[in-house]
Amino acid sequence: MDKRFFNLYSHDFARVAVASPRCRVADPAFNAQETIRLAREAADAGAVLAAFPELGLSAYTCDDLFHQRALLDAVLDALADVVAASSTLPLALVVGAPLRVNHVLFNCAVVVAGGRILGVVPKSYLPNYGEFYESRQFSAADNAAVDRITLLGQDVPFGPEQIFALESQPLFRFHVEICEDVWVPIPPSSYAALAGATVLVNLSASNVVVGKSGYRHQLVSQQSARCLAAYLYTSAGRGESTTDMAWDGQSLIYEKGDLLAESERFLGDSHIIFGDVDLERLSVDRMHTTTFAQSVRRHAHEVEKFRVQAFAVPLPLDRDLPLARLVERFPYVPADGRRRDARCTEVYNIQVQALVQRLQSSGHQKVVIGISGGLDSTHALLVCAKAMDKLKLPRTNILAYTMPGFATSERTLRQARELMRVVGCTAHEIDIRPSCIQMLKDLGHPYAEGAEQYDVTFENVQAGERTSHLFRLANHHHAIVIGTGDLSELALGWCTYGVGDHMSHYNVNASVPKTLISHLVRWVADTKQIGETGSDVLIHVLETEISPELVPGKQGTGKEEGKPAQVTEDFIGPYELQDFNLYYTIRYGFGPAKVAFLSWSAWRDRANGPWPEGGSPARNQYDLAAIKKNLGIFLWRFFKTSQFKRSCVPNGPKVGNGGSLSPRGDWRAPSDSEATVWMNQLARIPD
């Protein structure tokens, strides 16, 4: 693992290429040379598959020239050149060619690797409408009377039901369809995906008209998403005849609905794009989506038709090959400003709607919430305020309490007071130190006698007193307690169990990670939802270092404006890294090595890739040693020490696909499991 850690193929990625060569109509020799040149470029870049356009060896716009023997013979010569060139190229090629089979002409995709033809796939659906007249020259795949043919002296499989399997990467299995095949209600690739294909390839020519580019995106995106697959879409470009049509050479690579790569359109020369496909992601989602297997069973008659053609090409494992795809630093927070705003709007409304429903169903019109002046309680208070607005109830029905303890700073106390004021809730202040002293006396704790012993008991007495007050206040005022703890804290077990911040009547932040809460609060500030003054308060909260404020500073006052005695991230690591680890661990179940590789890809260089617009000014970067260290903290706390806290969490809404840790939702796990296998894998990551 050490030697190959920095190679994407070691982590179940595969690099694929989609090429659009400049062509000459009815000049197969020229077209073959352009194809070979781009194939070499793809191989040099570390790709294991390169796809080329429909009828690319002849050009798509030959019309009745397709019935000329000279052209068809020249195509065979050109194909022979491609096959010969493939013997020195470590990748599979898919090229388009018109081929005669038993006196019938087919529009075909020819799959080539290692100097041999792996299979020939004829087009299933021939368009014969609008500007298309393919049935004039070609026959559809259903008209084939054979399932094997002799081509260039090789006996090869023939037919649309073929899957090509890379022996050195069991998750890499691809299927080929041609242009119109993906435009029909049930594309052949749908059945191929059910039969095990993870990569779907479309050799297309596809002329361009106004609006067609966007529709291609929709088709390819939806097919990749529905099939839980990668989808490679080729298109003819410069050189095709413009007698009656025009061509833009648009190439696309999608993975499960996400765009990995897109070519620039209307280029004047040959071009190629690359995408690094996450094969494990596709496999995990198929395993997780149990209706995928149900579909396999339901369509067994079609699935059983597929034949698997195995092939071998060496993976480029002899060099560093980092990911070329963008890995978001903040998987819960889109970098793009418009997408971030849309995400924040949706998450905020989910939380508000969930709280509105809980209040209506429980018959309560008031809520009780503790306000620390920190991030989580700030956001929970904003949700409560919006819920009251939705219910047409006064915000004074929010009974907010700030409860300073032994280490509460003047800064957070001031922020709590200002926040309650600008929100317009009913604000209260309860000094919990007297009740904590009484509890510590009852326990016989040394602090009650003047000793500076700041142990876990000292900390949890404060957390418990706050929660105990909130619950009894809720009883007294016929209200419910709103929880403030977030998903990140729950994942790391950074909460006081039971009568502590672990417990509430309803927790609106239950499945919202810390990094997203930060952006939600900033979004509320940026959009001035609680006024100019309120936005200033929120910005001050965002600039406050995260601390539980349970242990006093060295002077014993705990009220310094500077760095608090406790800094949360000193104990559990940076939330930005831990949220990254959390996402890929619970969303996909990736192992430590892959999580670390993804984290290294995202965080190793602050100048590489976009940052969330409007986010924190901090631009951190981490080397692999820091990534490994913090991943170790996460794995130990998540798998070994914290599950018992997650097994009995309060109700709260799931807000995203990044996961919920409720035992009634996404995550069911034993409270007494071991972390051994994760820690052993972590140890194999290079330092």
Side-chain angles (χ1 to χ4, degrees):
M1 177 61 70
D2 287 6
K3 182 179 180 181
R4 298 182 175 182
F5 178 84
F6 301 101
N7 187 295
L8 63 93
Y9 286 95
S10 296
H11 305 282
D12 290 322
F13 286 92
R15 182 161 293 170
V16 296
V18 177
S20 181
R22 178 170 182 146
C23 72
R24 291 180 182 171
V25 178
D27 190 349
F30 174 86
N31 299 336
Q33 291 310 305
E34 278 298 284
T35 296
I36 293 167
R37 184 177 69 81
L38 290 179
R40 290 196 179 107
E41 186 177 333
D44 290 343
V48 290
L49 174 66
F52 294 83
E54 177 183 15
L55 296 170
L57 292 183
S58 58
Y60 179 79
T61 47
C62 290
D63 290 329
D64 286 351
L65 298 183
F66 284 124
H67 284 188
Q68 293 290 312
R69 177 173 178 174
L71 177 61
L72 297 178
D73 287 348
V75 166
L76 291 178
D77 293 339
L79 180 60
D81 291 342
V82 172
V83 173
S86 75
S87 64
T88 62
L89 296 174
L91 80 169
L93 310 176
V94 189
V95 297
L99 296 178
R100 294 161 289 185
V101 177
N102 290 351
H103 319 294
V104 179
L105 188 65
F106 293 95
N107 178 345
C108 296
V110 184
V111 183
V112 177
R116 67 186 184 97
I117 300 171
L118 304 178
V120 176
V121 178
K123 190 171 184 176
S124 294
Y125 294 93
L126 302 181
N128 228 51
Y129 56 87
E131 63 266 44
F132 302 109
Y133 298 94
E134 286 189 30
S135 294
R136 178 181 174 91
Q137 290 96 24
F138 297 102
S139 290
D142 287 346
N143 293 340
V146 296
D147 62 5
R148 299 193 72 85
I149 62 173
T150 300
L151 181 60
L152 301 180
Q154 300 183 36
D155 178 55
V156 300
F158 182 84
E161 291 94 6
Q162 297 187 68
I163 292 176
F164 302 91
L166 178 58
E167 292 177 347
S168 53
Q169 171 47 276
L171 297 179
F172 190 88
R173 294 186 164 210
F174 71 90
H175 170 266
V176 183
E177 60 190 6
I178 302 175
C179 200
E180 186 75 10
D181 292 346
V182 77
W183 296 68
V184 301
I186 306 178
S189 57
S190 296
Y191 296 121
L194 296 179
T198 52
V199 177
L200 310 175
V201 180
N202 187 302
L203 302 197
S204 178
S206 191
N207 68 303
V208 62
V209 294
V210 173
K212 196 171 188 179
S213 171
Y215 192 60
R216 288 183 194 131
H217 274 285
Q218 292 176 1
L219 279 176
V220 176
S221 174
Q222 284 300 307
Q223 187 64 358
S224 70
R226 186 175 294 107
C227 292
L228 302 178
Y231 201 101
L232 284 57
Y233 185 88
T234 70
S235 191
R238 188 68 176 271
E240 289 285 359
S241 172
T242 56
T243 300
D244 290 300
M245 292 181 284
W247 314 87
D248 63 349
Q250 185 177 31
S251 302
L252 303 170
I253 301 175
Y254 271 87
E255 177 188 293
K256 196 177 163 289
D258 297 330
L259 180 64
L260 297 186
E262 176 183 10
S263 69
E264 184 179 343
R265 299 164 62 205
F266 302 109
L267 291 173
D269 210 342
S270 303
H271 56 273
I272 189 169
I273 61 171
F274 297 94
D276 294 343
V277 175
D278 191 343
L279 300 168
E280 186 181 8
R281 177 197 185 202
L282 301 175
S283 177
V284 166
D285 271 349
R286 290 182 178 188
M287 179 175 62
H288 179 76
T289 309
T290 54
T291 49
F292 189 89
Q294 293 174 29
S295 298
V296 174
R297 184 177 67 250
R298 177 162 294 189
H299 298 285
H301 178 71
E302 294 294 332
V303 171
E304 290 166 357
K305 295 178 182 178
F306 282 85
R307 296 168 284 169
V308 176
Q309 318 299 344
F311 69 99
V313 296
L315 298 180
L317 289 167
D318 57 343
R319 52 175 160 147
D320 287 356
L321 197 63
L323 282 177
R325 70 189 272 165
L326 172 68
V327 179
E328 295 263 16
R329 294 179 177 86
F330 299 92
Y332 295 100
V333 184
D336 177 75
R338 287 177 298 180
R339 290 180 58 223
R340 184 207 67 158
D341 288 348
R343 177 74 55 84
C344 289
T345 300
E346 189 165 30
V347 169
Y348 194 42
N349 281 315
I350 289 171
Q351 293 177 277
V352 170
Q353 187 275 338
L355 180 56
V356 166
Q357 173 63 25
R358 177 49 55 100
L359 289 170
Q360 288 179 325
S361 63
S362 66
H364 291 86
Q365 294 189 339
K366 294 182 179 180
V367 298
V368 166
I369 184 172
I371 305 299
S372 67
L375 191 61
D376 291 342
S377 63
T378 294
H379 179 59
L381 179 60
L382 295 173
V383 171
C384 291
K386 192 69 172 180
M388 291 300 168
D389 296 346
K390 290 277 188 181
L391 290 166
K392 300 189 185 312
L393 294 171
R395 291 187 179 182
T396 51
N397 281 20
I398 304 170
L399 310 181
Y401 295 83
T402 188
M403 292 175 280
F406 298 118
T408 301
S409 68
E410 289 292 344
R411 174 178 183 142
T412 55
L413 183 58
R414 181 176 65 251
Q415 287 171 180
R417 292 166 177 165
E418 292 174 348
L419 182 65
M420 292 186 291
R421 178 180 57 80
V422 296
V423 167
C425 58
T426 300
H428 299 274
E429 192 167 317
I430 298 175
D431 186 345
I432 63 167
R433 286 173 293 183
S435 58
C436 288
I437 289 291
Q438 182 61 53
M439 174 66 77
L440 291 168
K441 285 181 179 178
D442 293 343
L443 295 175
H445 192 277
Y447 183 83
E449 303 300 326
E452 294 185 0
Q453 182 169 316
Y454 306 132
D455 54 14
V456 68
T457 302
F458 176 83
E459 295 183 51
N460 286 351
V461 161
Q462 295 172 77
E465 282 299 305
R466 288 186 174 115
T467 303
S468 179
H469 275 75
L470 293 175
F471 271 97
R472 302 297 74 80
L473 286 163
N475 294 155
H476 185 58
H477 295 287
H478 192 62
I480 63 172
V481 176
I482 302 303
T484 61
D486 64 50
L487 182 68
S488 308
E489 293 176 342
L490 194 58
L492 292 159
W494 193 252
C495 53
T496 301
Y497 182 79
V499 184
D501 54 332
H502 170 262
M503 192 48 60
S504 63
H505 287 122
Y506 195 73
N507 186 359
V508 293
N509 289 343
S511 70
V512 188
K514 186 77 76 177
T515 49
L516 181 53
I517 285 180
S518 174
H519 282 271
L520 283 162
V521 172
R522 190 173 298 276
W523 169 75
V524 173
D526 290 345
T527 52
K528 305 292 191 294
Q529 295 189 37
I530 56 173
E532 193 75 42
T533 302
S535 293
D536 291 341
V537 175
L538 297 182
I539 295 300
H540 290 151
V541 171
L542 287 164
E543 293 171 347
T544 304
E545 196 152 23
I546 299 172
S547 169
E549 293 195 328
L550 295 172
V551 173
K554 291 182 179 179
Q555 290 77 20
T557 63
K559 298 185 181 297
E560 298 81 4
E561 279 291 330
K563 187 172 181 175
Q566 289 174 298
V567 177
T568 298
E569 291 176 312
D570 288 347
F571 292 90
I572 60 175
Y575 274 115
E576 56 193 11
L577 280 187
Q578 302 301 29
D579 280 0
F580 189 98
N581 296 331
L582 172 64
Y583 179 83
Y584 285 103
T585 298
I586 66 173
R587 174 64 182 85
Y588 295 110
F590 289 163
K594 183 160 186 173
V595 174
F597 177 70
L598 289 168
S599 187
W600 176 79
S601 299
W603 287 98
R604 73 181 185 275
D605 183 358
R606 64 172 55 89
N608 183 31
W611 290 82
E613 297 176 21
S616 166
R619 296 288 187 268
N620 297 318
Q621 66 182 35
Y622 301 95
D623 60 19
L624 186 57
I627 288 168
K628 179 179 178 180
K629 172 188 172 183
N630 288 291
L631 179 56
I633 294 171
F634 174 83
L635 294 173
W636 182 257
R637 296 185 70 97
F638 185 83
F639 288 107
K640 177 62 178 175
T641 67
S642 304
Q643 179 56 38
F644 76 98
K645 296 181 180 180
R646 300 188 287 265
S647 294
C648 53
V649 294
N651 291 179
K654 177 181 176 180
V655 302
N657 289 330
S660 158
L661 291 175
S662 167
R664 301 169 297 275
D666 284 4
W667 188 255
R668 296 166 178 81
S671 295
D672 48 7
S673 66
E674 299 296 333
T676 306
V677 293
W678 289 273
M679 302 308 290
N680 287 345
Q681 290 186 26
L682 177 77
R684 295 198 290 270
I685 298 171
D687 294 313

